[in-house]
Amino acid sequence: MSIEEEFERVGLVPVVVIDDARHAPGLADAMVKGGLPIAEVTFRTDAAAEAIQAMAQNKNMLVGAGTVINVEQAERALVAGAQFIVLPGFSAEVVEYCQQRGVPVFPGTTSATEMMAAIKLGLGTLKFFPAEANGGASAIKAYGGPFGGLRFIPTGGVSANNLAEYLALPQILAVGGSWMVPQKKIAAEEFDEITELCREAVSLAQELRKE
């Protein structure tokens, strides 16, 4: 199963912000137990690369790097064991770097111009970020007209409360969010609660996909 197929199967891409890599193994175990074995570990903290390395030790986890803004970060992420790269915006340089190494890459886009640039580089799945601030599900639906071949991973302002709006759209591959992996609960090592939040999120996503 490809990474995109795994994203679609689960319907969610948890966005993980981790301040201390010592919490990473327990978090990985909790997410696997909750049926959500995917993590986009953001490069917003100094612990990101080490956390990716630790989480990647769990063979049931699919671990990638998020908030990657340059080639240097992409390289660090891949050395740490990241299996996919997510960008907050569009960077042809980072996309091409990942493509040359055969690594799935999902740049952030919010405009037709960026989407056209992504298509030119052969991409078919893009992050839509920040989703809610840029029109949310209605905007993605509108882009489905001229860009019917693209699929999106909306992230930013997405939660259990508006998940249904996104998953109702055929062009949504999966939805990114952090409500099932709260930064405070990671820091407090409240892993049983994270397992339950992951389980609830997966159940909700599966229900909504059936509707």
Side-chain angles (χ1 to χ4, degrees), residues 43 68 70-81 85 97 101:
F43 260 72
V68 173
N70 55 47
V71 169
E72 180 190 7
Q73 286 185 338
E75 183 178 17
R76 285 174 56 210
L78 296 183
V79 169
I85 300 292
Y97 174 85
R101 286 152 184 78

Side-chain angles (χ1 to χ4, degrees), residues 1 23 27-28 49 67 92 109 119 125 143 182 185-186 201 204-205 210:
M1 185 178 291
H23 304 317
L27 175 62
T67 323
T109 60
I119 291 170
T125 300
Y143 282 124
K185 290 190 180 298
I186 295 172
L204 177 60
K210 290 176 184 177

Side-chain angles (χ1 to χ4, degrees), residues 120-178:
K120 187 176 181 180
L121 291 177
L123 298 176
T125 300
L126 308 172
K127 178 172 181 169
F128 189 81
F129 174 83
E132 282 294 288
N134 282 282
S138 60
I140 295 175
K141 184 177 181 179
Y143 282 124
F147 300 108
L150 291 178
R151 303 199 73 186
F152 296 94
I153 304 171
T155 309
V158 185
S159 68
N161 295 327
N162 58 9
L163 187 62
E165 300 172 25
Y166 290 96
L167 291 182
L169 302 177
Q171 59 264 58
I172 299 300
L173 181 76
V175 171
S178 58

Side-chain angles (χ1 to χ4, degrees), residues 86-91 106-111 114-115 126-129:
V86 183
L87 286 64
F90 187 83
S91 167
F106 308 98
T109 60
T110 55
S111 71
E114 292 169 333
M115 291 171 197
L126 308 172
K127 178 172 181 169
F128 189 81
F129 174 83

